[in-house]
Amino acid sequence: MVKFLIQRPIAVTVIFIAFVVMSLVATGLIPVSLMPEVDIPEIIVKLNVAEKPANEMEEQYVRKVRRQLLQVTHLEDIESTATNGQGYIRLKFKYGTDINYAFIEVNEKVDALMYSMPEGFDRPRVIKTSATDIPVFYLNVSLKDSADEERFMQLSEFCDQVVKKRVEQLSEVSMADISGTEYPELVINVNMDNLNLIDVDRSSFVDALEDNDMSIGNIKVRNGLYEFNVRYASLLKDRNDIEELFIQVGKKIFKLKDLANISIRPALGKGSYLANGHKAVVMAVIKKGNARMSALKEKTSELLEVLREDYPRLKFEVERNQTELLDYSIGNLESGLLLGGLLAFLIMFLFLKDFKSPLLIGISVPLSLAISLLFFFLFDISINIISLSGLILGVGMMIDNSIIVIDNISQYREQGMSVFKSCIKGTNEVIRPLISSVLTTCVVFVPLIFLSGISGALFYDQAMAVTIGLGVSLIVSFTIIPVYFKLFYRKDGQTKDKTSSLSTLMENISFYGHIEDTYARVFDSVFLHKRWFFSGAMVLMIGGVFLFRFIEKERFPAFKQAEMVYHIDWNRNINTAENFKRIESLLSASDSLIAQSSCLIGEQNFVLDKSNKMCASESQLYINTKTESDLAMLNRIILEFVQEHYPDAIVKASPPETVFEKVFDSQSAPLEVRFKSKNRQEPPDAEEVNTLIKEVTKLSGIAPEDKLNLQKYYE
């Protein structure tokens, strides 16, 4: 086969050019993301019953639904929470469970339960969890100048009807989840004393509104051969329609505006959103699973430029931008891949004593990487930090395959054999050893495919990347290397002279000679003192095993960042207006350190909000600072401010949620203590729980700043 290829260099070149072209096309189609697409086997069930206290929610609704869901197959864990008017059930399934079938089964269980639930109970909302549901970024829209209630309602409608749809028109966007909006409601204020004088009661207003806001549906009208659907309707669309309604009082007719004051105000909401201290509308932009993050970033930037130009009175800001994390992570890996290959290329110039041999390797390695991306596309593997790390691991071994083939060909050539015969004999001789070497290396990564849980799904990409990279480099070393070696060294005499002169030059370099001499001396010393070196190796091995027990272990390395999310529970039954004031005072106390901030106050309207909904006394504050030191100082200021002014409040600080946090769950507590009463019908006694919490906080290993998270949520 090698002889056949060497005799047809043009055909080989054309074939590999075709592969490179296909690889370039495939590279533009491969999704680029932070992590591989992993289905997280979790389902959230949310219950909403207005005006029900937490204990009734638990007893009448959450408990019944939870018992019904315990029958779902492949269920690993279930936990529930009940608050005033809301219930939250989280189901965790064994990894490998088909989340689509589990989703259908959960919905069936919920439907089967509905007939036995109290009257007026709305069907619970079932949400399937996916890592791709994490917003790529948040888009804040606010007014540049001061906004009154009417203007903000107009902004809310504009964002819902225009901006949201413009964002969702991007082919890479799955949806724009909107919150922070305020919508109008009509208020009719009547003076009952004046109405009593003319003998008009409140029901007259209700009757007038109902009689004039109606639709009787369609009526079919036949005219010869044709039929027409005629719709009769009288709908109230705005304030003017209501003001012009007539009410008959005896023989007199009054307009509604003559008897009552009609106004429009924002509908009573349970939450709001702040961006840099001002009310705003927020959109959580969620990308499609197969979309390229770079394309989404580019198109979003173009769209924002158009929106800023078309609507100069509005302010558009992007925060918590996951594309920056992607650029940083992928950029680091790409630079590592490029630098590693370049350094290996330079080292080969030093040791191969030739210019053409490293050039051959410089052709084969990029070619192997390019064709590997073609197989990424065929095997539906995305470009992510896991797959790229696999390619980086494989680069060194890709170079090894080419070096072995070149070195073996060079040995036969130095023995006086012609270039043509050297290429054939030298390549055929190492085919079997190289195949066994590559297979041995791939076998090391095979267990990663069979890892259980999410880890196995993640490192599948790495194992496949290494296997694909080594397999492609093996084929390239058997085909491209001998063909181009013959072309590069086709002039035997001249090449040999140049090679020998270059070899003599390299051998005369003191550094190169010093390396060879040092290696020879160390090699001889090891075999002269075998017992001592063997004993030393055993001591180092045993010491390494012993020290491994004391090395700090964590799921994922910590990121250095200048942004933080604070979840604040004021632990008092305050309304959203008071919550708003407290957040404003907190932001003003640390304004000098804040580069960008936003705050979710109370209940939000996000459709894909899979976390437990916040109540009116809770806030989620996002703060971005200029430097890491500013963030550390800000942490102290916020904690001191809350402890001084609101000692009962509970503050939890955590980095913004990313795909890493979602998949690896690095923020979960290493130890969780759950208290429950012996009588399951009653909650645990508050005093006993507080006593136990105080005992837990005395345990060694708990940092002082972590004790805030151990304060009583029970109240």
Side-chain angles (χ1 to χ4, degrees):
M1 183 191 72
V2 176
K3 181 179 179 181
F4 177 82
L5 294 174
I6 292 174
Q7 292 174 337
R8 293 164 177 81
I10 296 177
V12 172
T13 303
V14 170
I15 290 171
F16 274 95
I17 288 175
F19 271 102
V20 170
V21 171
M22 288 189 292
S23 301
L24 293 175
V25 174
T27 303
L29 301 175
I30 299 174
V32 180
S33 56
L34 277 171
M35 301 288 285
E37 297 298 324
V38 178
D39 284 331
I40 299 175
E42 289 184 6
I43 290 178
I44 307 298
V45 179
K46 289 186 176 182
L47 296 79
N48 193 2
V49 184
E51 308 303 330
K52 288 289 183 181
N55 57 344
E56 290 187 22
M57 282 294 303
E58 170 62 27
E59 294 173 3
Q60 299 180 15
Y61 302 100
V62 176
R63 183 179 298 168
K64 290 183 179 180
V65 177
R66 184 174 63 244
R67 286 177 179 173
Q68 179 78 356
L69 295 177
L70 283 172
Q71 305 172 29
V72 177
T73 56
H74 304 297
L75 186 63
E76 190 173 65
D77 189 21
I78 184 170
E79 58 184 36
S80 63
T81 305
T83 59
N84 293 335
Q86 296 174 2
Y88 170 88
I89 302 173
R90 182 180 183 183
L91 297 91
K92 295 182 179 179
F93 296 88
K94 295 177 182 178
Y95 187 79
T97 303
D98 191 319
I99 196 66
N100 295 313
Y101 286 119
F103 182 72
I104 294 172
E105 188 176 2
V106 170
N107 277 283
E108 289 177 348
K109 298 296 183 186
V110 171
D111 291 335
L113 185 68
M114 288 300 296
Y115 77 94
S116 62
M117 298 300 288
E119 187 177 352
F121 175 71
D122 293 332
R123 187 186 187 280
R125 191 153 59 101
V126 183
I127 304 172
K128 182 171 58 177
T129 300
S130 173
T132 57
D133 291 342
I134 297 178
V136 179
F137 59 85
Y138 289 83
L139 176 61
N140 300 331
V141 185
S142 59
L143 294 162
K144 289 186 177 180
D145 50 359
S146 59
D148 54 18
E149 290 182 346
E150 185 176 355
R151 291 192 63 200
F152 191 79
M153 286 189 291
Q154 293 173 356
L155 174 66
S156 299
E157 184 178 3
F158 174 77
C159 290
D160 192 16
Q161 298 297 324
V162 178
V163 180
K164 181 177 183 291
K165 293 180 179 179
R166 291 283 294 273
V167 173
E168 289 179 337
Q169 285 174 353
L170 299 178
S171 57
E172 291 78 15
V173 174
S174 173
M175 73 173 296
D177 208 354
I178 192 168
S179 185
T181 53
E182 291 184 356
Y183 295 102
E185 67 177 7
L186 196 78
V187 181
I188 302 177
N189 293 316
V190 296
N191 189 323
M192 295 306 299
D193 294 334
N194 294 336
L195 292 182
N196 292 332
L197 292 175
I198 59 174
D199 195 22
V200 177
D201 57 9
R202 188 178 298 175
S203 62
S204 301
F205 288 90
V206 177
D207 293 340
L209 292 173
E210 290 179 351
D211 292 342
N212 289 275
D213 188 30
M214 59 181 295
S215 175
I216 62 174
N218 295 336
I219 297 177
K220 275 190 177 181
V221 178
R222 179 175 293 178
N223 182 13
L225 299 176
Y226 300 98
E227 285 187 352
F228 302 94
N229 290 323
V230 181
R231 179 172 176 262
Y232 291 90
S234 174
L235 302 176
L236 301 175
K237 297 181 180 179
D238 53 30
R239 181 170 59 179
N240 184 61
D241 291 345
I242 296 175
E243 289 177 342
E244 298 299 324
L245 290 180
F246 293 98
I247 293 181
Q248 184 173 358
V249 182
K251 295 182 179 180
K252 294 184 178 180
I253 296 178
F254 297 91
K255 285 188 177 181
L256 202 61
K257 65 181 179 181
D258 297 330
L259 302 176
N261 182 25
I262 302 171
S263 61
I264 294 178
R265 71 180 183 189
L268 182 62
K270 299 180 180 179
S272 58
Y273 180 78
L274 291 181
N276 295 319
H278 303 285
K279 289 183 71 173
V281 177
V282 60
M283 278 171 273
V285 179
I286 300 168
K287 83 174 186 72
K288 291 180 180 177
N290 59 351
R292 294 176 66 90
M293 195 84 86
S294 56
L296 174 60
K297 179 182 178 181
E298 181 181 349
K299 291 186 179 180
T300 304
S301 300
E302 293 175 357
L303 176 61
L304 289 179
E305 289 180 6
V306 173
L307 290 174
R308 291 186 180 111
E309 185 177 348
D310 292 344
Y311 310 105
R313 299 177 65 183
L314 298 182
K315 188 176 183 181
F316 298 89
E317 287 183 317
V318 173
E319 69 172 34
R320 296 189 236 185
N321 195 345
Q322 299 284 328
T323 60
E324 295 177 357
L325 179 60
L326 173 73
D327 292 342
Y328 178 77
S329 303
I330 300 296
N332 275 349
L333 288 172
E334 288 177 346
S335 62
L337 183 63
L338 183 62
L339 257 168
L342 184 61
L343 288 174
F345 188 64
L346 294 175
I347 293 296
M348 285 186 294
F349 270 113
L350 184 63
F351 286 94
L352 290 180
K353 313 175 188 179
D354 191 3
F355 284 113
K356 293 182 179 179
S357 295
L359 187 60
L360 275 174
I361 297 171
I363 294 173
S364 64
V365 172
L367 185 60
S368 300
L369 290 173
I371 298 176
S372 297
L373 293 177
L374 174 61
F375 283 94
F376 272 36
F377 174 75
L378 296 177
F379 286 102
D380 197 23
I381 299 174
S382 65
I383 297 176
N384 53 71
I385 62 171
I386 304 295
S387 59
L388 278 182
S389 65
L391 281 182
I392 291 174
L393 284 173
V395 165
M397 290 174 275
M398 291 180 188
I399 295 173
D400 289 344
N401 292 336
S402 300
I403 289 177
I404 291 170
V405 173
I406 291 173
D407 190 61
N408 208 48
I409 294 174
S410 299
Q411 285 185 11
Y412 283 105
R413 185 166 169 269
E414 289 174 358
Q415 294 174 7
M417 193 176 292
S418 66
V419 176
F420 181 75
K421 291 182 178 179
S422 298
C423 290
I424 297 173
K425 189 172 180 60
T427 304
N428 286 328
E429 196 174 67
V430 295
I431 287 179
R432 289 184 180 180
L434 279 181
I435 291 175
S436 62
S437 174
V438 168
L439 291 178
T440 304
T441 305
C442 293
V443 165
V444 175
F445 291 91
V446 167
L448 293 178
I449 300 175
F450 299 100
L451 281 177
S452 61
I454 293 178
S455 301
L458 287 174
F459 291 105
Y460 170 83
D461 280 22
Q462 187 181 57
M464 288 298 295
V466 172
T467 303
I468 290 172
L470 291 181
V472 172
S473 70
L474 185 66
I475 295 172
V476 169
S477 63
F478 293 159
T479 54
I480 289 294
I481 295 296
V483 170
Y484 281 88
F485 191 98
K486 179 182 178 298
L487 292 177
F488 283 8
Y489 294 96
R490 62 184 180 273
K491 298 180 180 179
D492 274 348
Q494 296 178 11
T495 307
K496 192 177 295 184
D497 292 341
K498 291 180 181 179
T499 304
S500 60
S501 62
L502 180 60
S503 302
T504 305
L505 177 63
M506 296 299 292
E507 288 172 357
N508 290 333
I509 297 176
S510 59
F511 174 72
Y512 180 79
H514 181 68
I515 291 176
E516 287 190 336
D517 293 341
T518 303
Y519 175 77
R521 288 197 299 269
V522 171
F523 187 82
D524 293 337
S525 299
V526 170
F527 279 89
L528 286 174
H529 307 88
K530 288 182 287 186
R531 294 182 179 179
W532 288 102
F533 279 100
F534 181 76
S535 301
M538 292 301 296
V539 169
L540 290 174
M541 186 182 299
I542 295 171
V545 173
F546 179 76
L547 292 174
F548 177 77
R549 300 179 58 186
F550 300 96
I551 297 175
E552 185 178 353
K553 301 174 183 66
E554 56 186 2
R555 292 183 181 181
F556 213 70
F559 288 102
K560 293 182 178 180
Q561 52 191 359
E563 55 184 357
M564 191 67 67
V565 175
Y566 301 89
H567 184 276
I568 305 173
D569 185 353
W570 301 109
N571 211 13
R572 285 289 181 268
N573 291 326
I574 61 174
N575 54 31
T576 54
E578 175 61 23
N579 195 341
F580 190 96
K581 290 179 182 178
R582 293 187 180 190
I583 291 295
E584 282 188 325
S585 61
L586 176 60
L587 291 173
S588 61
S590 52
D591 186 60
S592 59
L593 298 173
I594 298 175
Q596 188 180 29
S597 69
S598 64
C599 187
L600 300 169
I601 298 175
E603 185 178 333
Q604 300 298 313
N605 300 323
F606 291 121
V607 175
L608 292 180
D609 180 18
K610 293 174 286 294
S611 62
N612 194 7
K613 281 192 175 182
M614 297 186 298
C615 61
S617 62
E618 294 178 276
S619 297
Q620 184 175 296
L621 177 62
Y622 165 80
I623 293 179
N624 188 9
T625 59
K626 294 180 181 178
T627 62
E628 296 173 24
S629 58
D630 287 348
L631 182 61
M633 189 181 300
L634 182 70
N635 286 333
R636 291 194 298 270
I637 291 174
I638 289 177
L639 293 178
E640 290 173 0
F641 179 89
V642 173
Q643 288 176 345
E644 179 181 353
H645 296 86
Y646 310 102
D648 294 326
I650 301 169
V651 180
K652 278 188 176 182
S654 61
E657 187 181 34
T658 62
V659 177
F660 300 119
E661 307 292 335
K662 186 72 177 177
V663 173
F664 290 97
D665 195 17
S666 60
Q667 295 301 311
S668 61
L671 176 65
E672 185 176 307
V673 181
R674 298 181 181 180
F675 305 116
K676 63 181 179 180
S677 176
K678 290 182 179 179
N679 181 4
R680 297 189 176 185
Q681 303 300 322
E682 298 178 359
D685 183 73
E687 292 184 3
E688 292 181 2
V689 171
N690 291 334
T691 303
L692 289 170
I693 288 175
K694 290 177 182 177
E695 293 297 325
V696 171
T697 56
K698 294 178 183 178
L699 295 175
S700 59
I702 299 179
E705 60 270 16
D706 293 336
K707 293 185 179 180
L708 279 173
N709 297 337
L710 294 171
Q711 292 185 25
K712 49 187 176 183
Y713 266 93
Y714 180 79
E715 297 179 354

